[in-house]
Amino acid sequence: MQIIEVTNRDLERHFIQVNVRLYRDDPNYIRPLDRDVQEVFDSSRNRLFLTGAAKRWVLQDVGGTYIGRIAAFYNPRYKNAGDTVKAGGIGFFDCINDQAAADLLFRTAADWLREMGAEAMDGPINFGERDKFWGLLVDGFHPPLYGMNYNAPYYQELFERHGFRVFYNQLCWHLDVDRRLPDRFYQTHEKFVSNPDIRAEHIDTRRLEKYACDFSTIYNKAWAKHQGNKEISPEKAIGIFRKLRHVIDEDIVWYAYHRDEPVAIWMNIPDLNQIFRHFNGSLTTWRKLQLLWYRHMGACTRFVGIIYGIVPEWQGTGIDYYMIVEAAKVIQSKRKYRELELQWQGDFNPKMIAISKHLGGSLSRKLATYRLIFDPAKEFRRHPILN
């Protein structure tokens, strides 16, 4: 076997094709958009290259067939709440069912990460946000959501036989849209519905910048400080929302306000993989027109919960239940969607998991983020539980 660093466009093509070739006969496989993969490794588009680095490799067998791939990432700002380990990452791992081949890919990535100063490697992760290409699928082998990794069941053994251990599990939840919410939601809703200082509303794309700034406010209060994440400026939030403009459905992005101050958000997007499964990885101008047509024709019958947050002073009050009931009135009446899947929640976040269970969600799939400590004498610890 020969491992080759990806250094030119031809090898970049093979890096993508390894995944396509391995899964071309799997009916559940949906090919990721080529551009989504390529942008991760484009230093002109991925700002993490300003402080970090990434490398890619492909693996050939003795006959010259490409049988595996892996990427390694080093981001000095990558951290998990309460974590003291200096970890790098691996991602975009694909391999035939052969432990020796997988071991060669893992060792190659680990050697480079050691050179970069890492003490461990986490994976599969992404050189970017955690809403894409994050985690190894270990349960729920059905068609993936947009941006979600999909892999064969044997990958779990390849990781664990090499010495990886579960750092945390990532849980996804399924709900039927037509199903009535549990009674506690309506009971809590009654506490707020007559309060003139409280309101819930869905986004209006004509005022996208206003809602982006409201998102920035909620994010910085709810997540940035207590999870060790950087704050998101209003300008950055506006940029994020502008990128999402073409996929936003106003009916499924909701905010709650107290005296015009944003206090909660529930952000969902249509599951575009129900359309992208027809595109074979490409998103040309013609494909973008097809995307609009498919959406108009109701091809997306599933939407995906990607962000759910409440500012600290309103947590535990039930204002999120009020917001969800208001949202359900609109979503259920429009009958555009049949199902909702909540994007992954770490098993270290019992509060979010409790909300998903209270909604009546059933576990739809599980992914795992693994960690390998390079020094076997160093203690392995799972991701700490968030309070």
Side-chain angles (χ1 to χ4, degrees), residues 161-210:
R161 286 176 179 171
H162 188 76
F164 284 92
R165 299 173 67 178
V166 174
F167 187 42
Y168 55 84
N169 287 311
Q170 305 161 226
L171 308 178
C172 302
W173 305 86
H174 172 272
L175 297 96
D176 292 320
V177 169
D178 290 340
R179 181 178 176 180
R180 176 181 164 84
L181 293 168
D183 288 342
R184 73 180 73 189
F185 281 78
Y186 300 100
Q187 293 164 1
T188 304
H189 177 268
E190 287 300 311
K191 296 193 316 183
F192 293 99
V193 71
S194 61
N195 187 339
D197 292 333
I198 300 293
R199 76 177 193 279
E201 64 187 39
H202 62 69
I203 198 171
D204 180 347
T205 53
R206 294 171 299 181
R207 298 188 294 155
L208 198 65
E209 292 186 0
K210 181 263 186 194

Side-chain angles (χ1 to χ4, degrees), residues 38 81 91 221 364 384-385:
Q38 292 162 346
K221 289 182 178 180
S364 57
I385 302 297

Side-chain angles (χ1 to χ4, degrees), residues 181 184-186 188-189 192 308 318-326 354-355 358-359:
L181 293 168
R184 73 180 73 189
F185 281 78
Y186 300 100
T188 304
H189 177 268
F192 293 99
Y308 189 95
I319 197 167
D320 52 328
Y321 284 18
Y322 164 77
M323 173 179 65
I324 288 173
V325 171
E326 290 295 306
I355 291 171
H358 291 162
L359 275 167

Side-chain angles (χ1 to χ4, degrees), residues 239-250:
I240 294 171
F241 274 54
R242 283 175 176 168
K243 287 182 180 180
L244 290 172
R245 181 189 289 272
H246 70 288
V247 302
I248 286 177
D249 179 343
E250 294 182 341

